[in-house]
Amino acid sequence: MMLTGGGARAAYQVGLLRGIAKQFPKLRFNIITGVSAGAINAIFLAAHEGTLPEKTDALARLWCELQCQDIFRFDLRSMIPFRSALASVFPRKRWSHPRGVVDTSQLERIVRRLIPWHRIGMNLREGNLESLSVTATDIGSGKTVVFVQNASGQTPAWSQDPFVRAQSVTIGAEHALASAALPILFPAISVGERFFCDGGLRQNTPLSPALRLGADKVLVIGLRHKPPGNGNVPEESMPFPGAAFLVGKILDAFLLDHIDYDLDRLRRFNALIEAVRATGSGDHAERFDQVVTAMRGAPYRIVGEYMIRPSGDLGEIAGHVARTGRFKGSGGGAGIQLLRRLATARGADEADLLSYILFDGLYAAEVARLGYEDARNHHDELAKFLADAVVRDKD
């Protein structure tokens, strides 16, 4: 299972997984990979015990209890001009500690407290899980780093891409928070002596970790709505975009578009492999595998894939929730006021930026409900795709 990134949009994944769990209660995912906020969901599922319905119900409760007033707080110190210069002149901890525009200390406490980190290793040893990986971006080197935890404790053969590296670790809160640290908005997270931010920023091939870990089928949960038809909008109907609109589209490009390109690439490779097998002899196919293995460290293989994406626009849902002011809890404060302003800004019908940062229980419930319904609507396709999936009983 591949859980993509997208900040608060990741609540959609939870609803969709609850819908899948309702239909296939004995299903178990052997390999779980996640990036950005999807990494938090992936780790939660890998760390908890119980059936898939029990785990997804618990994860849904967590999302629906979030309150913006606790999470969305400005860190004004991060907005002071020439902050880096001040840090060099006054090297105090309060200046040198990495910060983002948003104070995520409450979110960090939730992640550290509510995930039983020791259970990841136990689930691996008990055979309930084969591998878990989360991806982050090393700020200093610009490399994509895939943190891997599996039963063997060994890093499998990985990509020869010089800008990607895999690292075997015991996954902890710092890895989850690093993967989900939206650049600028959220503070960078230190892992050891290096600082990391959102894993979706430079991950051009988000399916790679699942494939490198041995998956022969991949269920991908996307977080971007694809409108019917070609989705083109007449140019004369498009107003000049505001800053919030532009930032939202930039985040879409960084965090959401890669998975579509990667899936298209996977389908092309599947077609190529099928063509080689159909047109060549057994020796020809074996030679092909040898050449490919020498080039990339592993042979190509046909990988089944199925992607579900939201049937509705998560940005539009975010804008509607914020405009009505129906935030969970009492609301108020500078952060809540900014959310309301984003919801009424130019281009707010597509409040993409808001959909990334609206960590609110009511918004989470709305998009989770959409995910649950989407899972029901994909029942027949899911049943066919999961027909030969490995399902293990506890006894």
Side-chain angles (χ1 to χ4, degrees):
M1 176 174 60
M2 166 64 194
L3 298 180
T4 58
R9 288 174 174 242
Y12 172 83
Q13 298 171 345
V14 182
L16 194 140
L17 286 170
R18 284 191 70 220
I20 293 175
K22 181 73 172 179
Q23 299 170 66
F24 311 99
K26 292 187 177 181
L27 177 66
R28 293 185 185 277
F29 295 103
N30 298 327
I31 297 171
I32 303 178
T33 69
V35 61
S36 190
I40 296 177
N41 287 339
I43 291 172
F44 188 98
L45 296 174
H48 280 74
E49 59 182 336
T51 64
L52 187 61
E54 291 170 342
K55 290 191 281 191
T56 54
D57 283 348
L59 185 55
R61 287 193 297 271
L62 172 61
W63 274 92
C64 292
E65 290 172 359
L66 295 177
Q67 296 186 25
C68 275
Q69 67 215 44
D70 293 331
I71 294 177
F72 198 85
R73 297 174 178 170
F74 273 124
D75 187 338
L76 297 178
R77 285 174 292 182
S78 68
M79 305 177 72
I80 296 176
F82 311 115
R83 185 172 178 273
S84 59
L86 285 170
S88 63
V89 177
F90 304 103
R92 293 169 146 188
K93 183 177 181 181
R94 68 169 184 264
W95 295 109
S96 59
H97 184 73
R99 297 184 184 275
V101 174
V102 179
D103 178 3
T104 57
S105 56
Q106 179 65 16
L107 180 62
E108 181 176 344
R109 284 192 288 271
I110 290 173
V111 169
R112 292 186 183 279
R113 188 180 74 249
L114 296 183
I115 294 179
W117 298 97
H118 68 284
R119 283 280 332 165
I120 298 175
M122 293 177 65
N123 283 333
L124 288 166
R125 289 190 295 272
E126 293 171 2
N128 298 321
L129 179 71
E130 290 182 9
S131 299
L132 168 68
S133 79
V134 298
T135 303
T137 301
D138 185 318
I139 295 174
S141 67
K143 290 184 178 181
T144 294
V145 180
V146 184
F147 297 110
V148 178
Q149 185 173 353
N150 53 25
S152 69
Q154 302 296 317
T155 305
W158 215 260
S159 170
Q160 297 182 3
D161 185 338
F163 296 102
V164 179
R165 68 178 174 88
Q167 180 178 341
S168 289
V169 298
T170 298
I171 290 178
E174 65 276 12
H175 302 103
L177 293 166
S179 183
L182 289 170
I184 300 177
L185 294 175
F186 290 3
I189 301 295
S190 63
V191 180
E193 296 182 353
R194 303 196 66 82
F195 288 95
F196 293 82
C197 67
D198 196 294
L201 194 62
R202 303 250 348 230
Q203 191 179 37
N204 293 322
T205 54
L207 287 176
S208 179
L211 303 185
R212 292 284 176 175
L213 291 171
D216 55 17
K217 275 191 173 185
V218 183
L219 175 65
V220 181
I221 303 176
L223 295 176
R224 187 172 191 177
H225 169 62
K226 187 175 183 178
N230 57 19
N232 289 337
V233 178
E235 292 183 8
E236 62 270 18
S237 70
M238 297 180 66
F240 184 80
F245 182 92
L246 288 173
V247 173
K249 295 306 179 185
I250 290 171
L251 287 174
D252 288 347
F254 276 140
L255 304 179
L256 303 184
D257 288 349
H258 294 319
I259 189 62
D260 290 306
Y261 303 145
D262 206 21
L263 275 172
D264 181 67
R265 181 185 180 193
L266 174 63
R267 290 162 186 157
R268 291 175 184 271
F269 274 112
N270 281 343
L272 173 64
I273 297 168
E274 288 175 347
V276 169
R277 291 178 179 176
T279 59
S281 64
D283 291 341
H284 183 77
E286 183 178 352
R287 178 57 183 158
F288 175 78
D289 287 343
Q290 291 173 350
V291 172
V292 170
T293 301
M295 291 173 56
R296 61 186 295 270
Y300 286 134
R301 65 184 186 280
I302 293 177
V303 177
E305 48 80 21
Y306 189 70
M307 181 178 187
I308 302 180
R309 62 175 77 244
S311 59
D313 192 311
L314 303 187
E316 291 183 3
I317 296 174
H320 174 72
V321 169
R323 282 192 297 273
T324 59
R326 297 184 300 111
F327 298 109
K328 190 175 181 68
S330 59
I336 299 299
Q337 294 304 317
L338 175 62
L339 294 179
R340 292 195 174 100
R341 289 179 66 87
L342 288 175
T344 57
R346 179 178 297 174
D349 286 344
E350 297 184 48
D352 287 355
L353 173 58
L354 190 60
S355 71
Y356 287 98
I357 61 178
L358 191 55
F359 286 91
D360 179 77
L362 292 181
Y363 172 63
E366 288 291 329
V367 297
R369 186 178 301 111
L370 177 66
Y372 189 90
E373 292 299 321
D374 286 349
R376 292 179 57 185
N377 293 334
H378 285 257
H379 171 80
D380 293 344
E381 296 88 345
L382 283 168
K384 182 178 179 180
F385 179 74
L386 298 171
D388 59 349
V390 176
V391 178
R392 296 192 179 98
D393 290 319
K394 280 278 190 180
D395 46 41

